[in-house]
Amino acid sequence: MRNSAGRVVVITGAAQGLGRAYAMRFAKEGHRVVVLDLQTQALERVATEVRALGATCLPLTVDVSDVSSVEKAAAAIEQEFGRCDVLVNNAAIFSTITMRPFEQIPVDEWVRVLNVNITGTFLMTRALVPLMRRHKWGRVINVSSAAFLMGRPNYLHYTTSKAAVVGMTRSLARELGPDGITVNALLPGATDTEVPRETVTPEQKRQQIAMRCIQREEGPQDLEGVVSFLASDDSAFVTGQSLVVDGGYCFV
Ligand SMILES: NC(=O)c1ccc[n+]([C@@H]2O[C@H](COP(=O)([O-])OP(=O)(O)OC[C@H]3O[C@@H](n4cnc5c(N)ncnc54)[C@H](O)[C@@H]3O)[C@@H](O)[C@H]2O)c1
């Protein structure tokens, strides 16, 4: 894959789970990795793991839904590297969600999920696109979810937010194409990470696996290479797209 080493790759929500896995993958490919999250201590542990692979790593404690926090992070990235080539908008309120019928979702929780999952993606992109524009090259990868294609019940704020991410991806692709910046959405299926969660019961997981063309569990290794492709030169003519990586459960 054409993926020049040494790019500056910014990954939000990288203190655990899939964001951490993407950070390790980009480090192995020889990129400079910036990991962002709310969880400072976990972020430091990830930075240590990334550096152990020989890569440069800048950990930044950031709330992606907070304008000044995001702007400070962008300034720190500019000061450290003077550029940003790839942005993976992965941070979301996800594994901590309690599943419940939509009428029972507290309004403050609804607002928080939309703020982090939608506004956070907007703010991060707004803050880092100027650094991509300078070099007329950039990759924005927005993490959505196959859960919204499935219309999974009982976390309406989450599925709504992930649908919005696809809409944002399409409009941004049109706005940023002239600057050599591609914008694509990644839609993973239910993926096991080291983080326990209650958004999929064992029975639901069995049902989902039975509906997949490739009938096995999904892991971070199924997503890392796709993210790497979307960040590479090989995906230069792919933009505005929704890439579903769920073993063939949903088709778009
Ligand atoms: N794991 C799956 O099954 C699956 C499936 C489809 C889509 N996704 C999406 O993939 C992404 C990663 O999933 P995961 O399983 O690693 O989730 P996770 O909940 O384990 O990790 C999310 C990370 O985002 C961080 N975060 C939350 N709010 C933040 C904020 N305001 N600012 C900065 N960081 C914040 C958390 O601290 C956490 O480290 C999410 O966007 C999720 O919606 C996951």
Side-chain angles (χ1 to χ4, degrees):
M1 197 183 295
R2 285 177 302 151
N3 204 354
S4 317
R7 287 196 168 130
V8 175
V9 180
V10 177
I11 305 160
T12 67
Q16 65 181 40
L18 295 174
R20 171 178 166 270
Y22 303 146
M24 306 296 278
R25 170 70 181 233
F26 283 114
K28 284 178 197 156
E29 291 178 354
H31 298 291
R32 292 171 282 173
V33 182
V34 186
V35 287
L36 274 58
D37 208 288
L38 282 172
Q39 304 183 66
T40 306
Q41 284 182 351
L43 208 49
E44 289 296 340
R45 285 195 291 276
V46 171
T48 303
E49 290 178 299
V50 167
R51 289 178 189 132
L53 294 168
T56 299
C57 186
L58 176 65
L60 296 171
T61 303
V62 177
D63 177 350
V64 296
S65 67
D66 181 88
V67 179
S68 68
S69 178
V70 167
E71 286 175 357
K72 265 188 223 148
I77 293 164
E78 181 172 17
Q79 192 182 2
E80 183 76 17
F81 301 111
R83 62 187 299 137
C84 169
D85 303 299
V86 179
L87 168 63
V88 185
N89 280 311
N90 168 79
I93 298 185
F94 169 59
S95 61
T96 52
I97 288 177
T98 302
M99 305 296 279
R100 50 190 151 202
F102 82 93
E103 310 97 310
Q104 293 173 22
I105 296 175
V107 173
D108 59 347
E109 184 181 307
W110 172 274
V111 170
R112 178 82 186 129
V113 169
L114 268 51
N115 268 345
V116 173
N117 299 12
I118 304 173
T119 309
T121 302
F122 158 66
L123 292 177
M124 284 300 309
T125 307
R126 190 181 72 159
L128 290 178
V129 155
L131 296 185
M132 296 181 185
R133 277 195 172 121
R134 281 184 195 166
H135 302 280
K136 287 275 174 195
W137 196 98
R139 299 281 184 267
V140 179
I141 301 161
N142 292 329
V143 180
S144 174
S145 173
F148 117 76
L149 294 178
M150 294 157 61
R152 278 202 79 212
N154 295 326
Y155 51 175
L156 192 71
H157 42 6
Y158 178 74
T159 53
T160 301
S161 73
K162 292 302 181 178
V165 164
V166 169
M168 200 188 306
T169 298
R170 294 177 182 183
S171 295
L172 274 175
R174 293 211 187 271
E175 289 197 42
L176 297 178
D179 296 311
I181 301 168
T182 67
V183 188
N184 289 289
L186 175 74
L187 284 69
T191 309
D192 295 324
T193 73
E194 80 285 2
V195 180
R197 61 178 193 272
E198 293 169 6
T199 52
V200 185
T201 65
E203 180 49 30
Q204 287 168 340
K205 202 158 105 181
R206 271 193 295 279
Q207 286 171 1
Q208 286 186 18
I209 290 172
M211 292 292 291
R212 287 176 176 163
C213 303
I214 299 166
Q215 295 183 341
R216 61 163 174 79
E217 293 185 344
E218 179 166 1
Q221 71 284 355
D222 293 309
L223 296 163
E224 292 162 16
V226 179
V227 172
S228 170
F229 164 69
L230 290 175
S232 74
D233 287 317
D234 278 342
S235 65
F237 213 50
V238 179
T239 194
Q241 303 304 311
S242 299
L243 214 47
V244 186
V245 185
D246 67 351
Y249 183 129
C250 302
F251 299 140
V252 289

